[in-house]
Amino acid sequence: MTNAEWATRGNKVFIGTYSRFPAAMVKGSGCRLWDADGKEYLDFLAGIAVCSLGHCHPAVTEAICRQAGELVHVSNLFHTPPQIRLAELLVNNSFADRVFMCNSGAEANEAAIKLARIHSGEGRYEIISLAGSFHGRTLATVAATGQPRFHQGFEPLPQGFVHAEFGDPRTIEALVSSKTCAILCEPLQGESGVRPLEPEYIRAIRDICDRHGLLLIFDEVQTGLGRTGTLFAHEQLGVTPDIMTLAKALGNGLPLGAMLTTESIAASLTVGTHASTFGGNPVATAAAVEVLTLMLADGFMASIREKSAYFVDKLQGVAVRYPQWATGVRGRGLLLGLMLTDKGIERGAEIVQRMFEEGALINFAGNRVLRFVPPLIVGTAEIDTLVDKLCLVLDRLA
Ligand SMILES: *Cc1c(COP(=O)(O)O)cnc(C)c1O
């Protein structure tokens, strides 16, 4: 079966929610993927910041296989060892004392929204999030998402979500009322174009929460788990949230999400108030235990920061060499964006397509920047190859 044959079959049976590259991926290893025609790709998308240890990391694959041979699912009517091990690792390495497990980023945010509401009590249900944010595709998380294009056609959306303009804490404070229970934000907006929140801005948000008795929820679904060069992005900002959500990289590709919080806030979710049939599935959590163990090993986070500095330098070189297309670099760790000129933005989708043809996978985040989210195990030689391909594509763009 070729790419084209797979695409024809797929396009006949799927609801058309995705615009896909014309390739059927059949194999992965480290930072490489292979399609059904045997073409090799250098993967700087990593399943959208998911496969942080690279495709089919041997230790993760082994953990998955071992657990799949022992026990795959029993529901949360029982304890299971991998789920407990993972929760302990998360608690021991974060501000949090308690964890709720689910299967995706949107579900983790749904859990956070429910917790913020039930903890804050009657009449206090409103959550302030930021323009340009992305929090998921369920109805409540779409309502929390500060981008109208995700709302259109799905109204009426669940009530209790308001959006503040990005960048000025006063626009947030102006929205606080007796109904407000929480402020929800990403430490760095990934989907809308790799837009970091400045530390002073985040500290001002924490301060608003403290002065008004609001919960601060960090959506670290994309930024968490080493992506920005520390286990959690907020560690670099000097601000601790009350609730944090994780997902993408947690299972290195197996579906898994988590919502973390402190002892006293967690106490508001009592037996029967929230649940997930699959949440914290033994196979997914066994994979995640391996992921966290590898990420917590000596030197892993430092290696991300080193490679980030190397990559940023290279991308800045691209911006200098192609001022007609690119203006600079932004982001943290290995969540980086090449900012484009207006002319570059017009051609962004085409650049991504041409990179695909050259065997390099990137994307065009928020129709604004070229986003690079390689596996965190990427090597400098792979970064060089990616940048060479990008220069080749930009040379030919003219
Ligand atoms: C990807 C993402 C989500 C949604 O995660 P799903 O697993 O697709 O539901 C939520 N928040 C942020 C910041 C994300 O990047």
Side-chain angles (χ1 to χ4, degrees):
M1 287 281 294
T2 64
N3 281 333
E5 286 164 339
W6 281 120
T8 305
R9 275 171 70 173
N11 290 338
K12 272 195 197 122
V13 288
F14 288 122
I15 293 173
T17 53
Y18 302 108
S19 139
R20 300 180 201 255
F21 288 101
M25 295 302 180
V26 294
K27 191 174 160 57
S29 175
C31 298
R32 318 244 151 207
L33 279 174
W34 288 268
D35 70 17
D37 294 351
K39 180 174 165 185
E40 183 179 305
Y41 300 85
L42 185 54
D43 185 8
F44 273 50
L45 267 178
I48 318 183
V50 167
C51 302
S52 283
L53 295 175
H55 296 284
C56 302
H57 187 288
V60 179
T61 299
E62 207 220 297
I64 292 169
C65 292
R66 197 183 336 114
Q67 185 60 42
E70 277 167 14
L71 183 67
V72 171
H73 176 82
V74 288
S75 87
N76 286 301
L77 295 173
F78 303 92
H79 295 285
T80 63
Q83 196 186 86
I84 294 166
R85 287 193 191 105
L86 175 61
E88 286 172 349
L89 278 169
L90 288 170
V91 162
N92 291 339
N93 291 284
S94 72
F95 71 93
D97 309 302
R98 300 269 172 181
V99 184
F100 177 84
M101 289 192 188
C102 52
N103 313 283
S104 67
E107 273 181 80
N109 285 333
E110 287 273 346
I113 293 164
K114 284 181 73 174
L115 173 57
R117 285 187 176 188
I118 202 164
H119 181 73
S120 303
E122 191 138 18
R124 294 185 65 197
Y125 54 83
E126 205 162 77
I127 293 179
I128 303 171
S129 56
L130 299 182
S133 59
F134 181 80
H135 299 296
R137 300 294 204 127
T138 61
L139 280 170
T141 58
V142 151
T145 292
Q147 301 186 64
R149 68 189 173 104
F150 291 112
H151 300 163
Q152 276 148 23
F154 299 110
E155 297 90 351
L157 293 174
Q159 291 179 10
F161 297 92
V162 291
H163 305 110
E165 224 173 87
F166 183 95
D168 183 354
R170 285 170 303 185
T171 68
I172 299 177
E173 191 144 23
L175 292 173
V176 175
S177 75
S178 59
K179 292 184 290 192
T180 314
C181 69
I183 298 175
L184 165 65
C185 63
E186 303 151 84
L188 179 161
Q189 294 187 342
E191 291 311 301
S192 64
V194 191
R195 193 156 57 152
L197 277 64
E198 293 309 318
E200 312 81 71
Y201 183 40
I202 298 248
R203 280 196 287 272
I205 293 174
R206 175 76 265 182
D207 184 56
I208 294 169
C209 288
D210 293 344
R211 281 189 285 110
H212 295 278
L214 311 176
L215 297 172
L216 177 57
I217 307 170
F218 278 165
D219 177 345
E220 291 231 29
V221 167
Q222 184 158 162
T223 57
L225 302 160
R227 181 48 63 186
T228 68
T230 46
L231 191 58
F232 307 113
H234 70 259
E235 294 170 30
Q236 293 167 59
L237 300 167
V239 172
T240 305
D242 301 296
I243 301 173
M244 171 172 69
T245 55
L246 300 174
K248 288 193 165 83
L250 192 51
N252 205 50
L254 288 199
L256 184 60
M259 187 267 287
L260 286 73
T261 190
T262 62
E263 185 73 36
S264 62
I265 298 168
S268 295
L269 281 177
T270 53
V271 172
T273 53
H274 197 45
S276 165
T277 300
F278 294 116
N281 166 281
V283 180
T285 48
V289 166
E290 200 53 48
V291 168
L292 272 174
T293 305
L294 289 162
M295 285 189 178
L296 291 167
D298 257 2
F300 188 82
M301 293 298 150
S303 79
I304 298 167
R305 295 192 290 270
E306 276 163 30
K307 287 181 284 194
S308 172
Y310 183 84
F311 196 6
V312 166
D313 192 54
K314 288 258 160 181
L315 289 174
Q316 266 157 357
V318 173
V320 169
R321 186 163 154 194
Y322 302 96
Q324 70 275 42
W325 303 121
T327 61
V329 187
R330 67 186 183 194
R332 294 199 182 96
L334 288 172
L335 174 44
L336 295 174
L338 185 67
M339 294 181 283
L340 300 178
T341 59
D342 288 344
K343 230 173 88 187
I345 287 172
E346 272 171 40
R347 310 284 292 273
E350 187 188 337
I351 295 170
V352 168
Q353 176 62 29
R354 290 187 180 210
M355 286 292 277
F356 167 80
E357 284 157 19
E358 291 301 321
L361 305 178
I362 60 168
N363 84 337
F364 189 37
N367 289 328
R368 193 177 309 248
V369 308
L370 299 178
R371 177 172 57 175
F372 309 90
V373 280
L376 304 177
I377 51 128
V378 69
T380 49
E382 287 159 325
I383 292 172
D384 290 345
T385 306
L386 189 286
V387 171
D388 288 347
K389 285 177 190 282
L390 183 59
C391 290
L392 191 82
V393 164
L394 293 178
D395 279 335
R396 290 182 191 155
L397 209 55

